[in-house]
Structure formats: structure tokens, C-alpha cells
Amino acid sequence: MDAQTLVDERGDLWLALAPLWLDREPSERDYRHMVEVIQSHDLTLEELEWIFRLELAPVLSRHQLSVAGAWQRFDDYQLMKQLVAHNLRLSGWRRRVWALFSGLTTLMTRHRWTELVERVAVARGQLPQ
């Protein structure tokens, strides 16, 4: 898959989910936006989990651990470059390594992810409100 295809297929989803890694709790508006973007993609909750763990967490968790990381918002252009570069290399052994370490890279945002998945499930009628 080439860079432009990645941006076309995942770019809006990646940028919508990036606030999960900021140094603030996502607002109601952030969560609503994330749910809307997720709903516009034809993805199962399991597919979303793997996007969270393999496509996003390896890049965005580095921002959380960096003293000079983004705290209030990300530079969308720089973030997209990092995400595309990571995902172009994400195959074979790299995919297996990130899957193995995904528990660590998602540890600091897991509670936010759980909240988001519950909201998506409610929006899809899979959970009672």
C-alpha cells in the first residue's frame, strides 16, 4: 500500500483518534467526533482495536513519553507523516513485535479507549445506554 492510499483510507480516522494520547482527558466534543468518524468507516470493534494497538499506539505513545511531546494538540501534518511512515513499515516481524508490546504502548490510554469503544457500541445499538 502506498502513502496516499494510507492517508485516504485511514487519515481522518487516525487524526480523530489522536486526542486519546494528549495530556488531557478528551472532551465530550472529542468523543462525539471520534464516534462520528469511526461510524463513517466500515470497521468492526476488533478491527478498531488492532488499529489502536498497531497503527496508532506505537507512534503516539512516544509522544506521551517524550518531555517535548505534544500536550494540548498535535501538528496534524507532522503526525500524519509519522503515522504513514510507521504504517508503511508495518508488516511481517514488525507487526508481530508491535502486537507483542501493544499492551505497554496502550497502557496509558486504555481507559480512554474503553470509554470510546463503549460509546461506539452504544451508537451501534450493541450496548444499552
Side-chain angles (χ1 to χ4, degrees):
M1 186 176 300
D2 65 80
Q4 188 58 53
T5 304
L6 272 173
V7 171
D8 292 344
E9 290 182 7
R10 292 278 207 260
D12 63 331
L13 182 63
W14 289 342
L15 292 178
L17 298 178
L20 293 170
W21 279 269
L22 291 174
D23 189 38
R24 62 171 174 76
E25 288 300 314
S27 67
E28 283 298 316
R29 188 171 136 221
D30 290 330
Y31 279 120
R32 270 195 311 275
H33 177 66
M34 288 181 225
V35 171
E36 287 172 11
V37 173
I38 288 169
Q39 293 293 73
S40 71
H41 290 265
D42 189 25
L43 299 166
T44 66
L45 294 178
E46 184 178 347
E47 289 169 323
L48 285 168
E49 176 72 25
W50 284 109
I51 289 168
F52 171 68
R53 292 171 68 175
L54 298 179
E55 295 179 16
L56 293 167
V59 173
L60 289 160
S61 62
R62 291 180 209 151
H63 286 274
Q64 280 184 317
L65 299 175
S66 170
V67 174
W71 297 103
Q72 295 302 316
R73 67 178 308 274
F74 291 107
D75 175 329
D76 290 351
Y77 178 74
Q78 288 299 325
L79 181 59
M80 190 61 66
K81 281 178 36 177
Q82 293 169 346
L83 288 166
V84 167
H86 165 75
N87 281 280
L88 286 175
R89 293 187 308 267
L90 190 60
S91 63
W93 68 269
R94 281 189 172 101
R95 180 174 283 280
R96 289 188 296 277
V97 167
W98 283 119
L100 179 65
F101 289 104
S102 65
L104 293 173
T105 60
T106 61
L107 185 65
M108 294 171 63
T109 56
R110 181 54 65 179
H111 65 288
R112 296 172 182 174
W113 179 253
T114 301
E115 172 70 22
L116 176 60
V117 168
E118 288 174 5
R119 290 171 183 246
V120 170
V122 167
R124 292 178 175 179
Q126 296 171 341
L127 284 178
Q129 293 184 353

